[in-house]
């Protein structure tokens, strides 16, 4: 069984067959999905999807790529969206220093802090995007000790993972862990306790082997679970049960 802790079914990659894909997931062992907004439009559509599909929950937030739109008006709209009952997190939010065309770092950090403040206010967990920004990400997480969440698509070191774990965060693993050059990610998976590990697609991106390069979808998480099972020396059933329990606990899902 699978609970996808980070997906983007609002993405245009699913425009032609979204309903068909989503309607077929339950038959493939997917019992839950957290659909995460990246833009305001994506946040709105995430709420719509969670309203339409029983097994979909939503997170609302603005990705650092769009940090320059984040102001009090944006925060007010996110606050309103978060009032819907199946919105269970603020995200995805964070920092991305990888792409030069992204907004200036100060703009990203301001947007990040504003959305962390909203999560604190609403007592919601966060979905963190961190790409080539480990130090600044960690520093801002430490500014909000009342907030916890998941560091999605974890790309940092073992040392960075330990710091995130100390703050109460969960660690999300994507299809990257199945890639041949993913030694660092496997090393992180080894040290993450079973009660802090999550699995995710980040679909339509990050498809695991043997589907690398294809459009990703939630049932492909079975390949991620198989790899984590191998890395941690645990059964597939143990990984499935732990990751489902963990995301339900984080999102306060009681069924």
């Amino acid at each position: 069984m699978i609970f996808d802790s980070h997906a983007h079914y609002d993405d245009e990659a699913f425009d032609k067959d979204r309903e068909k894909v989503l309607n077929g997931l339950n038959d493939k062992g997917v019992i839950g999905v957290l659909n995460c907004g990246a833009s305001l439009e994506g946040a709105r559509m995430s709420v719509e999807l969670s309203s339409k599909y029983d097994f979909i929950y939503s997170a609302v937030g603005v990705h650092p790529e769009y940090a320059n739109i984040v102001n009090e008006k944006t925060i007010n709209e996110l606050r309103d969206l978060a009032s819907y009952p199946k919105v269970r997190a603020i995200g995805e939010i964070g920092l991305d220093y990888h792409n030069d065309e992204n907004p200036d770092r100060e703009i990203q950090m301001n947007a990040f802090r504003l959305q962390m403040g909203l999560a604190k206010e609403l007592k919601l967990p966060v979905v963190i995007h961190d790409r080539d920004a480990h130090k600044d990400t960690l520093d801002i997480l430490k500014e909000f000790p009342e907030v916890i969440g998941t560091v999605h698509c974890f790309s940092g070191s073992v040392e960075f993972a330990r710091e995130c774990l100390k703050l109460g965060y969960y660690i999300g693993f994507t299809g990257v862990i199945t890639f041949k050059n993913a030694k660092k990610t496997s090393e992180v998976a080894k040290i993450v306790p079973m009660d802090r590990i999550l699995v995710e697609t980040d679909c339509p991106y990050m498809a695991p082997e043997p589907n690398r390069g294809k459009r990703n979808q939630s049932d492909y998480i079975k390949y991620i679970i198989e790899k984590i099972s191998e890395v941690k020396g645990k059964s597939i059933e143990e990984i499935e049960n732990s990751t489902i329990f963990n995301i339900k606990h984080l999102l306060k899902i009681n069924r």
Side-chain angles (χ1 to χ4, degrees), residues 46 65 68 70 79 90 96 103-104 113 128 162 175 179 185 198 205-206 220 223 238:
S46 291
E65 180 182 355
N68 51 12
V70 178
R79 184 183 291 109
I90 301 298
D96 191 322
D104 290 343
R113 288 188 174 101
I128 300 298
R162 288 196 170 109
F179 300 169
T185 307
L198 298 177
Y205 315 105
M206 302 286 186
Y220 293 173
Y223 301 111
E238 286 176 289

Side-chain angles (χ1 to χ4, degrees), residues 111-131:
F112 189 11
R113 288 188 174 101
L114 284 172
Q115 293 180 94
M116 288 290 287
L118 180 63
K120 176 183 175 181
E121 171 195 333
L122 300 179
K123 297 181 172 59
L124 286 173
V126 289
V127 179
I128 300 298
H129 175 101
D130 161 47
R131 193 171 186 193

